[in-house]
């Protein structure tokens, strides 16, 4: 895939909506397209946090494994983000991620993305602000699931 | 049939069918002279010797001679309801309350957001839309259940989703490994829907917390407040606005609701005690 079409995919992804063109150019230089087949484990819980992904198509399950069973916490799909823990130094993956169907994503090496953020505070602030939105939404959704509101009606 | 709104009329139970592990649909012959129901309305169902409950009508308004109620067996009266046998009689009062704004939705898209058994009061609206499909633009149904085994009307949901210009998405809070669909609260499905908020009427029914967060999300996505309707559940007793048990701010849910436009309830949804 050419960096031009990668750049287009980046510009179309909601996570990067409104990013200045020069920021998108920088991101295009460090990202690559990655595909996962159905049932492929993208990463396992407690793996060193390597990559951050912007999902283009397909569905990913976030799971916690326990002896004899797998608990699915959430599913995420096109236009969403995967692997935010890669933005933390020495981070470890919080969940196991598994492709539920063929997945196409844009992958960013966490270390390189962090370096870009540190080199340009404006860029870094924008990225972290968007990531905070992702983490906040996931936290809120998890709280709602814990409340078990649907069964209480 | 009596014209006294407080006196139940006897309705013969035609069938009881299991929707999932704890929820059943009851079909009754409508008592003679009963006013046809509108989507979103409810009846008071009385099990002789057990008690009376408000239950939304979940059947097809095109067949007002048959009244369908989807009941989750969670207490003594609901247990008595779902364990009745065909041929037995159940007391019915109603139909009561306001209905979904289907007239106002004509020419627009309709977004249905349901949680748990909240899909039941919305099913008559879906039936009505499907019957007059040309009167509406897109129909999107978003349904969240606790787990795959708690989902209602699975076959119908699947059938609705196959029709042109319809989109049906379901999600569960807890999915086993065999579940291939989304896991997460119903609001996580909003991202998968492309609608013009100004030209869409949203109809919500489910736990109040779910509706509150869904409304916040819809407003953030640009839905005008007046394009959002929701169905409320309160402790309805008389169903005619006499007793005040179901009062919510200045409203009696039984008479002024159960379906409200969001602006009418905006001040009361976040209040701890009313």
């Amino acid at each position: 895939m050419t960096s031009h079409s990668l750049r287009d995919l980046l510009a179309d992804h909601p996570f990067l909506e409104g990013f200045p063109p020069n920021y998108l150019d920088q991101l295009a230089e460090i990202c690559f397209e990655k595909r996962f087949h159905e049932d492929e484990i993208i990463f396992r819980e407690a793996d060193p946090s390597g990559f951050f992904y912007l999902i283009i198509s397909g569905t990913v399950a976030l799971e916690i494994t326990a002896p004899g069973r797998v608990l699915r916490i959430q599913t995420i799909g096109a236009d969403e983000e995967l692997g935010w823990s890669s933005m933390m130094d020495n981070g470890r993956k919080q969940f196991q991620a598994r492709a539920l169907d063929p997945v196409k994503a844009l992958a960013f090496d966490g270390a390189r993305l962090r370096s870009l953020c540190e080199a340009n505070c404006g860029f870094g602030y924008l990225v972290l602000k968007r990531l905070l939105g992702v983490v906040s939404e996931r936290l809120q959704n998890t709280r709602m699931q814990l409340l078990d509101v649907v069964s209480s009606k | 049939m009596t014209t006294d709104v407080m006196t139940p009329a006897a309705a013969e139970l035609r069938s009881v069918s299991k929707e999932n592990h704890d929820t059943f649909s009851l079909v009754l012959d409508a008592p003679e002279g009963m006013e046809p129901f509108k989507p979103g309305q409810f009846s008071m169902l009385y099990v002789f010797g057990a008690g009376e409950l408000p239950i939304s009508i979940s059947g097809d308004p095109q067949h007002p001679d048959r009244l369908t109620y989807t009941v989750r067996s969670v207490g003594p009266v609901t247990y008595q309801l779902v364990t009745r046998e065909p041929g037995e009689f159940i007391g019915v009062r109603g139909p009561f309350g306001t209905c979904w704004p289907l007239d106002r939705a004509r020419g627009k898209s309709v977004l249905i957001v349901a949680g748990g058994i909240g899909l039941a009061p919305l099913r008559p609206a879906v039936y009505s839309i499907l019957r007059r499909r040309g009167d509406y633009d897109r129909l999107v149904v978003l349904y969240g259940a606790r787990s795959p085994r708690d989902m209602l009307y699975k076959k119908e949901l699947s059938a609705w989703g196959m029709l042109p210009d319809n989109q049906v998405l379901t999600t569960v809070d807890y999915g086993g490994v065999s579940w291939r669909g989304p896991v997460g609260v119903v609001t996580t499905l909003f991202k998968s829907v492309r609608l013009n908020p100004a030209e869409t009427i949203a109809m919500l029914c489910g736990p109040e917390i779910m509706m509150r967060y869904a409304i916040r999300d819809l407003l953030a996505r640009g839905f005008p407040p007046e394009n959002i309707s929701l169905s409320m559940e309160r402790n309805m007793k008389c169903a005619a606005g006499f007793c005040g048990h179901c009062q919510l701010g200045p409203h009696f849910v039984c008479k002024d609701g159960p379906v409200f436009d969001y602006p009418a309830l905006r001040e009361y949804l976040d209040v701890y005690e009313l």
Side-chain angles (χ1 to χ4, degrees):
Chain A
M1 175 169 281
T2 66
S3 62
H4 179 69
S5 55
L6 274 177
R7 170 74 164 67
D8 291 343
L9 287 172
L10 287 169
D12 287 342
H13 199 284
F15 182 78
L16 301 173
E17 188 181 345
F19 264 51
N22 59 321
Y23 287 0
L24 292 176
D25 292 340
Q26 287 179 289
L27 285 167
E29 282 175 19
I30 63 161
C31 89
F32 61 94
E33 187 189 310
K34 180 78 180 162
R35 289 174 188 261
F36 301 95
H37 58 75
E38 183 177 335
D39 272 332
E40 184 174 350
I41 300 294
I42 299 172
F43 52 75
R44 293 183 189 279
E45 185 179 339
D47 275 356
S49 288
F51 289 94
F52 173 66
Y53 301 97
L54 298 178
I55 300 175
I56 304 300
S57 61
T59 315
V60 177
L62 298 181
E63 302 168 332
I64 290 179
T65 52
R69 63 185 182 148
V70 177
L71 299 170
R72 191 167 300 164
I73 306 299
Q74 196 178 11
T75 49
I76 52 180
D79 293 344
E80 294 188 276
E81 308 77 17
L82 174 68
W84 57 263
S85 57
S86 62
M87 289 303 290
M88 298 190 300
D89 288 329
N90 306 316
R92 298 249 166 206
K93 293 297 184 192
Q94 308 287 314
F95 304 109
Q96 170 172 288
R98 188 159 59 93
L100 290 176
D101 44 34
V103 168
K104 178 180 165 185
L106 298 175
F108 301 82
D109 176 75
R112 294 188 71 187
L113 189 53
R114 288 198 305 273
S115 295
L116 269 184
C117 292
E118 281 158 15
N120 180 338
C121 291
F123 172 85
Y125 176 67
L126 201 49
V127 168
L128 289 178
K129 199 160 70 166
R130 296 289 167 93
L131 273 178
L132 187 60
V134 172
V135 175
S136 161
E137 189 181 316
R138 300 262 168 93
L139 175 64
Q140 186 58 26
N141 289 338
T142 305
R143 283 171 172 159
M144 293 283 285
Q145 279 171 280
L146 288 173
L147 282 171
D148 201 12
V149 290
V150 174
S151 72
S152 66
K153 177 157 174 99
Chain B
M1 179 185 167
T2 174
T3 53
D4 176 4
V5 294
M6 298 305 294
T7 307
E12 187 173 349
L13 181 60
R14 282 289 164 189
S15 66
V16 180
S17 54
K18 195 170 185 175
E19 298 289 355
N20 65 32
H21 62 102
D22 65 358
T23 305
F24 299 79
S25 282
L26 286 69
V27 179
L28 282 70
D29 282 338
E32 197 179 326
M34 177 173 267
E35 182 187 329
F37 72 93
K38 299 186 185 80
Q41 289 191 302
F42 70 97
S43 301
M44 297 299 294
L45 297 188
Y46 176 51
V47 184
F48 303 108
E52 192 181 46
L53 282 176
I55 305 284
S56 297
I57 305 170
S58 59
D60 189 345
Q62 183 74 5
H63 302 291
D65 52 323
R66 290 287 167 95
L67 298 171
T68 303
Y69 301 92
T70 302
V71 181
R72 188 168 165 222
S73 178
V74 288
V77 184
T78 49
Y79 174 76
Q80 288 295 326
L81 263 177
V82 303
T83 51
R84 297 301 90 202
E85 296 287 338
E88 291 190 53
F89 284 84
I90 288 171
V92 179
R93 293 192 292 125
F96 295 115
T98 53
C99 57
W100 296 110
L102 292 169
D103 287 339
R104 197 151 48 86
R106 290 228 165 96
K108 294 185 163 68
S109 294
V110 176
L111 171 64
I112 302 262
V113 184
I117 201 166
L119 183 58
L122 283 160
R123 190 169 67 161
V126 175
Y127 287 146
S128 297
I129 292 166
L130 294 180
R131 182 154 282 113
R132 303 177 68 96
R133 193 64 191 85
D135 288 358
Y136 302 89
D137 193 5
R138 294 187 62 211
L139 170 64
V140 178
V141 177
L142 306 180
Y143 178 48
R146 186 169 190 259
S147 71
R149 77 181 196 123
D150 292 293
M151 291 181 71
L152 291 177
Y153 315 139
K154 283 183 196 172
K155 285 183 183 168
E156 280 184 289
L157 285 165
S158 174
W160 296 342
M162 310 276 256
L163 297 170
D165 294 324
N166 288 7
Q167 184 179 12
V168 175
L169 298 173
T170 57
T171 184
V172 295
D173 283 351
Y174 307 98
V177 174
S178 59
W179 169 253
R180 308 295 293 183
V183 175
V185 291
V186 72
T187 50
T188 59
L189 298 175
F190 287 163
K191 281 184 179 171
S192 308
V193 174
R194 300 280 178 268
L195 287 167
N196 175 1
E199 292 298 319
T200 303
I201 299 291
M203 304 179 190
L204 284 61
C205 188
E208 273 185 47
I209 297 175
M210 181 217 92
M211 291 197 288
R212 211 161 71 200
Y213 283 97
I215 288 167
R216 281 184 199 173
D217 214 327
L218 291 174
L219 294 173
R221 288 170 191 276
F223 272 73
E226 62 275 15
N227 282 16
I228 302 171
S229 293
L230 64 161
S231 181
M232 298 295 289
E233 188 174 283
R234 278 293 183 276
N235 185 20
M236 293 183 270
K237 291 288 181 192
C238 72
F242 299 151
C243 72
H245 276 91
C246 64
Q247 190 164 0
L248 177 62
H251 308 293
F252 292 118
V253 174
C254 70
K255 186 167 67 70
D256 305 322
V259 178
F260 291 91
D261 288 340
Y262 168 63
L265 293 186
R266 188 176 357 215
E267 295 171 50
Y268 309 107
L269 282 179
D270 293 337
V271 180
Y272 170 63
E273 196 171 68
L274 273 173

